[in-house]
Amino acid sequence: MSRRILIVGGGIGGLTAALALRRAGFEPVVFEQAHALQPVGAGIQLSPNATRALIQLGYGAGLRAIASSPQALEARSWRSGRRIFSTPLGERCLEAYGAPYYHVHRADLHALLSQALGPEGLRLSARCTGFAEEGDGVRVEFEDGSSEWGDLLIGADGIRSITRTVAFGPEQPRFSGNVAFRAVIPARSVEGLPLERNTTAWWGPGKHFVHYFISGGSQLNCIAVVPSRTWSVESWSTEGTREELLAEFEGWHPLVQAVIRATGRVFKWALYDRDPLPRWSLGRVTLLGDAAHPMLPFQAQGAAQAIEDAMVLASCLSRHAEQPRVALEAYERIRKPRTSRIQEISRHNAQLFHLARQPRVLLRDTQLRFLNRHRSEKLARRMDWLFAHDPLAVAEPSTGLGA
Ligand SMILES: Cc1cc2nc3c(=O)[nH]c(=O)nc-3n(C[C@H](O)[C@H](O)[C@H](O)COP(=O)(O)OP(=O)(O)OC[C@H]3O[C@@H](n4cnc5c(N)ncnc54)[C@H](O)[C@@H]3O)c2cc1C
């Protein structure tokens, strides 16, 4: 096959795929519907499995320049503030996994990836409306009536993927019953509050609140997940208010309320979910990231898994350059079990974080506090399978994509 690969969607998954494919010698082009790359103004956690991949691609220094490094991941009880557990991240991640745990602003990560790709690899205002296999490749159609031909199509177009719909038929994502409020606060607005350089999650009945520093510590990112019966607004995200958020967290620990009072603009984001797909690929078309396996954000792995997908897909295509179908089969075989597992865990975590009935809350907190006090290494190591994962080593180590 020649080497022109069309990627629909310029999110973290699509951009990383393009960079990994280019590095493997292909000619990827990303088609993004937006007129400008304006990712939602919020933070994102990048666990070592994701940072390792980005470092392997050559963006370690760029990433370090935009990141904050949390010292620990801790959970606290919503009203008392009592710590439930605290797992070290910072140095421990470097020692145990050979890669850092970072917090970054999404816009900074997008900028890093899109600048690395350059304008020749990215077309904006290109809304894909469909595709058809043509000759030994795929023709992708756009809203403005134009079309493009490539050897292969990757649908990295998010949870409402048109690629997925055309390939496998329509199926609506399911509203999870939860809404995420998101806000980014200048660090100077929370100066004086006893906020540590951690990922702090406050767990309460039916809700949770997470905060962590991003942008080298100059901003605090907040995510609050609360139940909502319906999502009646057409758009997925809309503007909320600080008062709404304060009302949701009335009675919570004073520190949570102080952080909320420091927020400026607050956005609301409906959380949707899908069951794992039976398959991701059809002929010369495949899916990647949220288009393939959308997951609730309760394990903070959606973008990390899109990045892993990108690495494995580039590796498989490189390995089976003359047999794209074989490459796509290998990609799916390697990636689907892991992403399906994380989809399930993310769903399960929603229940764990939001426990409301007292006997079960007590049992959860007592067990975790015991582990934290007496088996702290065991508690930390429960993330090994996730964080130690090296997608390239798992795919095909001999492709030369590694660092
Ligand atoms: C509240 C919240 C917190 C999260 N926190 C984390 C976290 O801490 N860590 C983490 O790893 N993940 C996190 N995630 C998940 C993460 O944001 C997503 O999994 C990730 O952004 C998916 O990337 P993607 O590239 O697959 O899709 P998207 O980011 O959805 O990108 C898809 C792109 O495709 C474009 N597109 C769509 N349709 C078309 C079309 N027809 N034609 C052309 N372009 C199109 C879109 O405009 C978009 O740019 C969080 C999610 C939420 C909601």
Side-chain angles (χ1 to χ4, degrees), residues 55-117:
I55 291 167
Q56 284 167 340
L57 283 179
Y59 305 111
L63 203 52
R64 198 162 50 244
I66 58 170
S68 299
S69 302
Q71 292 312 302
L73 164 65
E74 59 170 16
R76 289 178 178 271
S77 186
W78 66 288
R79 189 153 46 188
S80 68
R82 209 177 143 208
R83 192 175 278 138
I84 300 169
F85 71 84
S86 174
T87 305
L89 293 175
E91 283 301 313
R92 186 186 179 277
C93 282
L94 288 173
E95 278 162 24
Y97 309 121
Y101 197 109
Y102 280 155
H103 291 155
V104 298
H105 196 296
R106 241 166 220 275
D108 293 340
L109 181 59
H110 265 89
L112 176 74
L113 300 174
S114 59
Q115 280 163 19
L117 191 59

Side-chain angles (χ1 to χ4, degrees), residues 8-14 31-34 44-45 106 126-128 156-159 162 180 182 212 223 269 271 288-291 297 300-304 306:
V8 173
I12 292 167
F31 298 92
E32 165 59 45
Q33 63 183 359
I44 193 166
Q45 304 188 53
R106 241 166 220 275
R127 182 176 167 78
C128 168
D157 42 353
I159 188 170
I162 183 76
R182 308 170 99 177
Y212 50 81
I223 304 168
W269 197 263
L271 299 181
L288 176 149
D290 277 8
Q301 278 293 316

